[in-house]
Amino acid sequence: STQGVSSAASDVYKRQEIIQKESIIKIINEIDLVSEIEQGFIAYSNGESVVPPIGELVFDHPPGDVHIKYGYIFGDQFYVIKIASGFWENEKYGIPNGQGMMLLFNRRTGQPEALLLDDAILTDIRTAIAGQICVSKFSNKINRIGVLGTGVQARLQVQYLKRITQSREVVIWGRDARKMNDYKRDMSEQGFEVTIGISPRDVASKCNLLITATASKEYLLSKNDILKGTHINAVGSDTVGKRELGPGIIKKADIVIADSIVQCQERGEIACAIKDGYTATKNIFELGDVLSGKVQGRELGSQITVCDLTGVSVQDIKIATAVFNRYMEKKNEI
């Protein structure tokens, strides 16, 4: 009957959840996201997920980009669509550069289950966790943490390392002196001893862990800047046209890890190396294969290792699902 259909539709509507950023932040601290995201990478590399190419919008005036990432993991209850943007002049308006949301749908029926209004914080967190995973798997014992960039990701990548290293010495470089000083002040309050470097090369000369987290369109590091035994987390080059590592660094590295080889051939530092004419793949592996034990990670302390992190939707699927499930558990406890 029409009344029955109306009632069923009403029931579906009631099941949809809108989860605000404040709730998301509380939940993040209650769940083990590292193991969730590791499992996502493994599923991806095992061919147990559907991850279409990234949807993307790029803007010039003002500068910004929007990434639309989506997909599902076999056996999971949901498929997820993530929209995340970065508009670099947002500080003029007193709002964060990053914006966005995640949408969860029932994988069997297509019904919308939840809208996570996270202002892109889940993207920031899952990226920082990917960085933490890579450092734990590939870095030597850290003497100093070198950071290129002064934004949210340049902070989170370092903050999440607290869980896996005792090192609290950070050498930072950015293009804006004010932002570098702000970074030093803010991270000092987080327990880090921050020194401002005079150039990217200066940072590389003092640190055996380098994190590149800028929106640069011109490379910042040259191959001769990189010391033996260095590990690099290359995070900023997530869109075609961005680049942080100079010609020859990918070739020079003993091991290069892509979060997604297919994706990194189109964007990121591996894509830049291909444009430079470097087409060999013998030293390039996928993160999920290392995590599952199919591929060996660092073997010698003298090796140079690079992780090219362009962001894969399995990370979004895993973090959104974990947050939603915990949210529903807490709701049902009331």
Side-chain angles (χ1 to χ4, degrees):
S1 68
T2 303
Q3 184 176 1
V5 172
S6 176
S7 176
S10 176
D11 288 343
V12 170
Y13 178 78
K14 289 177 182 177
R15 288 202 298 272
Q16 298 168 2
E17 300 290 339
I18 298 176
I19 308 177
Q20 302 291 339
K21 181 178 179 180
E22 293 75 15
S23 296
I24 292 169
I25 291 172
K26 292 178 182 177
I27 290 170
I28 284 172
N29 296 320
E30 300 175 1
I31 49 183
D32 179 10
L33 293 172
V34 173
S35 62
E36 291 286 342
I37 290 174
E38 285 184 342
Q39 289 304 310
F41 281 126
I42 291 171
Y44 177 79
S45 294
N46 283 344
E48 298 169 354
S49 65
V50 172
V51 176
I54 297 171
E56 189 169 59
L57 298 171
V58 179
F59 301 90
D60 294 323
H61 305 291
D65 55 59
V66 180
H67 290 170
I68 305 165
K69 298 184 179 182
Y70 50 105
Y72 65 91
I73 295 172
F74 297 171
D76 277 10
Q77 184 178 355
F78 308 108
Y79 72 86
V80 174
I81 299 174
K82 188 275 293 285
I83 304 169
S85 66
F87 283 85
W88 320 119
E89 296 182 2
N90 277 2
E91 64 177 344
K92 294 180 181 178
Y93 313 111
I95 57 177
N97 291 346
Q99 300 292 321
M101 63 184 67
M102 295 192 181
L103 305 152
L104 273 73
F105 297 83
N106 188 298
R107 191 174 67 82
R108 297 188 181 279
T109 66
Q111 293 171 308
E113 297 274 358
L115 168 61
L116 279 63
L117 295 173
D118 69 315
D119 288 346
I121 189 172
L122 290 176
T123 297
D124 292 333
I125 296 297
R126 60 81 149 152
T127 304
I129 290 173
Q132 176 190 329
I133 291 168
C134 288
V135 171
S136 69
K137 296 297 180 183
F138 299 103
S139 178
N140 286 310
K141 183 177 180 180
I142 301 168
N143 55 14
R144 297 182 194 88
I145 303 166
V147 183
L148 305 186
T150 56
V152 171
Q153 201 54 228
R155 296 160 189 250
L156 285 176
Q157 287 279 329
V158 174
Q159 290 169 0
Y160 269 74
L161 294 181
K162 273 188 172 182
R163 308 177 184 197
I164 61 170
T165 179
Q166 296 299 313
S167 177
R168 297 293 182 265
E169 291 188 56
V170 178
V171 184
I172 177 74
W173 177 87
R175 288 193 174 91
D176 187 303
R178 177 184 61 81
K179 291 181 179 179
M180 284 193 288
N181 286 318
D182 288 346
Y183 183 100
K184 180 176 181 178
R185 180 198 65 223
D186 296 342
M187 295 300 285
S188 295
E189 293 174 358
Q190 296 285 328
F192 294 95
E193 182 181 334
V194 180
T195 302
I196 294 177
I198 60 175
S199 67
R201 184 177 185 179
D202 179 47
V203 174
S205 72
K206 297 174 179 175
C207 305
N208 66 344
L209 170 62
L210 299 176
I211 297 166
T212 63
T214 75
S216 180
K217 294 185 178 181
E218 297 180 357
Y219 67 83
L220 304 172
L221 291 168
S222 298
K223 66 176 181 179
N224 293 332
D225 298 338
I226 311 304
L227 304 178
K228 287 185 178 181
T230 297
H231 173 71
I232 303 172
N233 271 358
V235 180
S237 181
D238 61 351
T239 300
V240 175
K242 292 181 182 178
R243 180 171 198 173
E244 298 175 300
L245 306 185
I249 292 180
I250 294 297
K251 182 178 181 180
K252 182 177 182 178
D254 298 280
I255 303 171
V256 179
I257 301 298
D259 49 11
S260 161
I261 289 177
V262 170
Q263 192 167 288
C264 290
Q265 289 172 336
E266 298 176 349
R267 64 187 65 227
E269 301 301 339
I270 293 171
C272 293
I274 291 171
K275 289 180 181 178
D276 293 337
Y278 179 67
T279 57
T281 58
K282 66 180 185 302
N283 67 330
I284 299 176
F285 306 99
E286 209 158 72
L287 180 56
D289 286 335
V290 176
L291 295 174
S292 67
K294 291 181 181 178
V295 173
Q296 178 68 41
R298 176 186 289 276
E299 296 178 336
L300 300 172
S302 61
Q303 289 179 318
I304 294 172
T305 55
V306 178
C307 283
D308 194 4
L309 300 175
T310 57
V312 186
S313 66
V314 288
Q315 298 167 257
D316 304 311
I317 295 163
K318 280 295 188 181
I319 196 169
T321 300
V323 168
F324 175 70
N325 287 338
R326 180 56 184 151
Y327 175 86
M328 294 304 294
E329 287 175 4
K330 295 178 71 171
K331 183 176 181 180
N332 293 331
E333 289 170 0
I334 297 175

